[in-house]
Amino acid sequence: MENQEIVITGGTGRAFPIKSGKYLIVTDVEGKQVADFIAVNLNNNEEYLSTAHTRSMNGRVTVQKGDMLYSNFRHALLEIVEDTVGVHDTLYPCCDPMRYKLDFGVDGHQNCRENFTHALKEYGIDYWRVPDPFNIFQNSPLNPDGTFGPSTEPKSKAGDYVVFRALTDLIIGISACPQDMTPLNGFHITDIKANIVDHL
Ligand SMILES: [Zn+2]
């Protein structure tokens, strides 16, 4: 038994391994906090969770309980086994330095892409290789005219969570998104908690 708890402080990122067969519970501690989520094959960092392949394989732009999350090689890496919210995003990239500079005129804002770059350095993944994230709890509506967004406050409340089952050995990266200039995180950046457990 190696149950493990990892706290991702609001606005920062962490990366950690998980073994095949274990469960990962990602919890919004205080509510209305987006968790950018990426996964890379622990034994081959050329294989990663691909939101494009996940959309294609599931035939849907959203994901829900029972869905698999697929890699760029079309292998199922994770299964969503529980979800107390049901509103997430697979379309947006990480926030990055240019997002804050172009849209808000702000230099040096904390951002998910650099959070991942720092967290994944020990696994040999550079800035340009950070995969597009699965944005847990992100509420970015799809509109009938084909547009999407603008993003609004997450539906998640304190204690809401998503449970994944790892289907292979993975490196998981999570960034508690530091976007505080739009309603994306309810204008209040808070912690995300990750728990790795053997059994539910
Ligand atoms: Zn972000």
Side-chain angles (χ1 to χ4, degrees), residues 36 95 100 112 177-178:
D36 283 41
C95 63
Y100 294 100
C112 289
C177 182

Side-chain angles (χ1 to χ4, degrees), residues 34 36 93-96 100 110-113 115 135 138 175-179 184-185:
V34 169
D36 283 41
C94 294
C95 63
D96 52 38
Y100 294 100
Q110 205 164 11
N111 60 87
C112 289
R113 185 142 192 150
N115 285 347
N135 297 304
Q138 182 167 326
S175 175
C177 182
Q179 172 57 275
L184 188 84
N185 296 300

Side-chain angles (χ1 to χ4, degrees), residues 43-107:
N43 300 305
N44 174 13
N45 71 11
E46 295 182 2
E47 181 170 39
Y48 54 86
L49 167 56
S50 163
T51 49
H53 291 83
T54 297
R55 292 190 296 265
S56 176
M57 297 287 280
N58 289 326
R60 212 185 313 108
V61 299
T62 56
V63 293
Q64 60 194 36
K65 180 177 172 176
D67 282 348
M68 305 293 173
L69 303 182
Y70 292 91
S71 78
N72 55 319
F73 300 152
R74 298 183 186 266
H75 297 137
L77 299 184
L78 295 144
E79 177 185 1
I80 298 179
V81 297
E82 198 53 74
D83 176 7
T84 66
V85 180
V87 178
H88 314 286
D89 169 76
T90 72
L91 297 177
Y92 281 80
C94 294
C95 63
D96 52 38
M98 284 302 279
R99 161 73 165 137
Y100 294 100
K101 187 174 177 58
L102 288 172
D103 296 336
F104 305 100
V106 174
D107 278 314

